Amino acid sequence: MRDPYKILGVERGASAAEVKSAYRKLAKKHHPDQNKSEPKAKERFAEVNSAYEILGDKDKRGQFDRGEIDADGKPRFQGFEGVRQRPGGGFGGPGRGGRNARWSTSGGLGGDPFNADDILSEILGGRGGGAGSRARSPSRGEDLSVTAAITLEQLSRGEKARVDLPTGKTYEVAVPSGTKSGHIIRLKGMGRAGTLGGGSGDVLITIEFVPHPLFKVDGDALRADLCVTLDEAVLGAKVQVPTLEGPVTIGVPAKSDGGRPMRLKGKGLPKAGGGRGDLLVTLRIVLPKEGDPELEALMKKWREIRPYSAREPEQSTEQN
């Protein structure tokens, strides 16, 4: 592999933050998911990840700078420590007891039951496939979790939710019909990039409804209060009711009780299987803000002539 400093485009004295910043820019630029038409993107992406494996690790970077490991992270061959050449052309250990030896044609040393490939494998940290091999496997990228706030009006119109990711990217996400506040939408492969060609993580978007000043969500239905005057409740009237699409006119039946719900079909939220929920409007009778002597006199007379109870009589709990 080429010099990791050149691959990431940084100087040897670059700080850890500069190295990380350079890596992120290049990883984003060469990510295979963003360059599906570029055949060498995957190779370039893997090269950038391998360079960061060296320079992004403080210990490995120090070893590379001192010449102890190469650009692939493997120890450099520096000979056998403690082995010296003897006058007869053989090799022996330090001090007495060193014996003459010659390389055999089978690669062994003087017929010993091991060969040079095993020694090189141990010294080079696994190059050659021996027991010291250290193969780095691809690593999947990190998932990103974000929250998208959407108004009931946007949901009703089928508008997309705008999502700003920590990576700096911005997406407009379609919110499926029937989505409830707290539901999670998954964008596969849109998270952080993996290493060594590993797949990217996902983006997990939690949908949250923005509180509405008029409507409360009840499943696919909406609930709202509708204030009416005393005469409208008694005599009936045509009044306007707010909906997510704008006001509509409904008829309040004569002799309507306060607290009585009125159902407006199809004025709720979109359903998962198609169609829409309903809007449930509860009547709230509102008296004049200022006192009305005539109304008070009428109510006193009414109480004397036509008394009635607005509450169900309580059942006795006494035992006979």
Side-chain angles (χ1 to χ4, degrees):
M1 189 179 76
R2 294 188 296 127
D3 186 333
Y5 285 102
K6 293 182 179 179
I7 293 175
L8 296 184
V10 296
E11 300 293 334
R12 286 186 172 268
S15 66
E18 291 173 331
V19 170
K20 187 174 184 179
S21 176
Y23 163 71
R24 285 187 172 182
K25 290 180 181 179
L26 291 174
K28 180 179 179 180
K29 177 181 178 181
H30 298 290
H31 195 286
D33 291 346
Q34 307 298 326
N35 299 273
K36 295 182 179 180
S37 62
E38 175 56 51
K40 293 187 178 181
K42 186 174 182 180
E43 179 182 344
R44 178 61 175 156
F45 181 71
E47 187 179 46
V48 169
N49 276 309
S50 296
Y52 188 66
E53 285 287 326
I54 300 294
L55 302 187
D57 185 297
K58 181 179 179 181
D59 294 335
K60 288 184 180 179
R61 182 178 180 181
Q63 291 175 326
F64 178 79
D65 290 343
R66 293 190 297 271
E68 297 173 4
I69 61 174
D70 60 18
D72 292 318
K74 305 298 183 181
R76 294 183 182 278
F77 181 73
Q78 296 177 340
F80 299 97
E81 293 185 3
V83 179
R84 56 189 175 83
Q85 184 174 10
R86 299 183 62 176
F91 293 83
R96 297 184 179 182
R99 61 183 176 85
N100 292 330
R102 293 174 297 173
W103 294 108
S104 68
T105 56
S106 62
L109 183 60
D112 288 344
F114 58 87
N115 57 44
D117 287 340
D118 291 332
I119 298 174
L120 291 175
S121 177
E122 182 177 352
I123 293 175
L124 299 178
R127 183 177 298 182
S133 177
R134 297 183 301 165
R136 295 296 301 274
S137 59
S139 177
R140 182 179 178 275
E142 176 187 0
D143 290 341
L144 298 176
S145 297
V146 295
T147 299
I150 186 170
T151 66
L152 298 184
E153 285 82 1
Q154 287 177 303
L155 193 66
S156 174
R157 294 191 294 264
E159 294 182 6
K160 294 182 178 181
R162 182 183 177 89
V163 180
D164 295 322
L165 301 183
T167 58
K169 293 182 179 180
T170 299
Y171 291 105
E172 288 190 345
V173 183
V175 181
S177 297
T179 296
K180 303 296 187 296
S181 188
H183 279 195
I184 295 176
I185 298 175
R186 181 184 294 269
L187 301 182
K188 292 186 176 181
M190 296 298 183
R192 295 198 185 280
T195 59
L196 299 179
S200 297
D202 301 336
V203 172
L204 306 177
I205 304 171
T206 301
I207 300 296
E208 287 190 0
F209 293 168
V210 176
H212 200 280
L214 299 177
F215 304 113
K216 292 183 179 180
V217 178
D218 185 2
D220 295 319
L222 295 175
R223 292 185 177 273
D225 289 341
L226 176 64
C227 295
V228 295
T229 62
L230 180 60
D231 61 286
E232 289 173 335
V234 173
L235 303 176
K238 296 288 185 180
V239 297
Q240 282 196 332
V241 178
T243 72
L244 292 177
E245 293 78 25
V248 297
T249 301
I250 66 170
V252 176
K255 295 181 283 188
S256 291
D257 293 327
R260 174 183 176 179
M262 300 181 65
R263 185 182 298 271
L264 281 70
K265 292 187 177 181
K267 294 300 182 181
L269 298 177
K271 293 183 177 181
R276 297 169 66 102
D278 300 334
L279 171 60
L280 303 175
V281 178
T282 300
L283 297 181
R284 302 295 183 193
I285 299 176
V286 179
L287 297 178
K289 293 182 179 180
E290 298 179 356
D292 188 325
E294 293 184 3
L295 178 60
E296 293 175 6
L298 175 62
M299 290 300 100
K300 288 179 182 179
K301 187 175 182 180
W302 181 272
R303 180 180 291 177
E304 295 174 358
I305 300 175
R306 301 288 300 272
Y308 74 101
S309 175
R311 296 168 293 281
E312 293 292 334
E314 297 181 357
Q315 295 182 353
S316 175
T317 58
E318 295 182 3
Q319 299 291 333
N320 295 330

